[in-house]
Amino acid sequence: MIPFLDFGAMHSELRPRLDAAYSRVIDSNWLILGRELEAFEHEFAAYCGARNCIGVGNGLDALFMTLKAMGIGPGDEVIVPSNTYIATWLAVSYAGATPVPVEPDVSTYNIDPARIEVAITSATRAIMPVHLYGQAADMDPIVELAKRYGLKVIEDAAQAHGARYKGRRVGRLGDAAGFSFYPGKNLGALGDGGAIVTNDDALAEQVRILRNYGSRVKYHNEVKGFNSRLDELQAAFLREKLSVLDAWNERRCEVATRYREGLLNVGLVLPHVPDWADPVWHLFVIRHPNRDQLQAHLTMSGISTMIHYPIPPHLQGAYVEMGLPRGALPIAEEIHDQVLSLPMWPQMRIKDTDQVIANCVATLNRG
């Protein structure tokens, strides 16, 4: 049996350090907004090449509170990818604004910069590109377009910790970026968590106030804020994992290279990596028109796979009021109907990767 993701292998490698992190927090008697969070925020900001990092409860809150801190709300529009996890859209909706979907480049699955301008209206306030599956979106034309129209750029970097665009890490490519530390991410906590990264000091201060009930000083509430704080225990765990993130990302790259070489010319659409991208392979996603049949055969062979994602946001019940029927966003729909994510984690053994490859090839050869 080959799991989709092996937490045991990941955590056993770091177990002594995770145990020590746990002990540090327990011994400190300080569990919220303490020294571990302060240290992690400093370290992760430096890792991204930014001045500020603000830890929050999860990745959705990171995006949502960034929008709120920017003053984006009812009556405003935010351009989002049509091909993404629904959290990107939900962040816009929670802020009271309207998500405006733009189709992806079918080769990279990320938002197509050439399609954005036609979606801009007088109500547009921001563009929220997603670095899907661990590969950066094409940011330069997006940022240039945003500057021309006076728009904010908020990176949804939930799946792309450490990914680079033209040599620059994601998280510093727009006005701000939202990260998720959900356990399965490249940099994952042992619970939930998220962070906002930005070079905008005023924005960072506003988010710090919003995450803590709208308060800078205890019991003095300046605005109607929220309760969304990355706790000390998760911050301590993340500090240990951050120290090995680049090494673990490199191992993911090795697994991805083996997949790409072993699955070449067997009837699959493999991930395309532009010259300017250095992905970190949060997911290794293939496409096939008979995806469900392929997944069923792999499951019977003992190989676990997942679909990221089976239903695009505009076809979810949550967004039925938008009135976008099937066929309205055909590129996203085709992608969601065909994608399949293969097993991927840093400690994945060569023999396991080869077993996945061999079973994919055998299944496809059977037709």
Side-chain angles (χ1 to χ4, degrees), residues 75-149:
D76 297 329
E77 295 177 352
V78 177
I79 291 174
V80 295
S82 61
N83 180 51
T84 184
Y85 183 54
I86 199 171
T88 313
W89 290 38
L90 289 175
V92 178
S93 298
Y94 287 172
T98 300
V100 177
V102 169
E103 290 272 69
D105 178 335
V106 73
S107 67
T108 66
Y109 308 135
N110 283 322
I111 193 168
D112 186 347
R115 298 174 183 268
I116 292 176
E117 188 167 17
V118 70
I120 296 174
T121 71
S122 59
T124 306
R125 293 286 308 282
I127 306 171
M128 189 179 286
V130 178
H131 306 309
L132 198 63
Y133 305 150
Q135 179 165 286
D138 190 1
M139 292 297 295
D140 281 354
I142 294 173
V143 171
E144 190 280 328
L145 190 63
K147 287 180 178 178
R148 190 163 10 120
Y149 283 90

Side-chain angles (χ1 to χ4, degrees), residues 31 37 44 61 118 125 152 169 185 210 214 290 296 306 322 331 337 354:
L31 303 178
L37 176 59
F44 192 60
D61 282 358
V118 70
R125 293 286 308 282
K152 297 292 187 181
R169 287 198 200 276
K185 305 298 187 185
L210 285 173
N290 294 323
M306 293 187 70
M322 293 185 73
I331 300 176
D337 286 343
D354 288 345

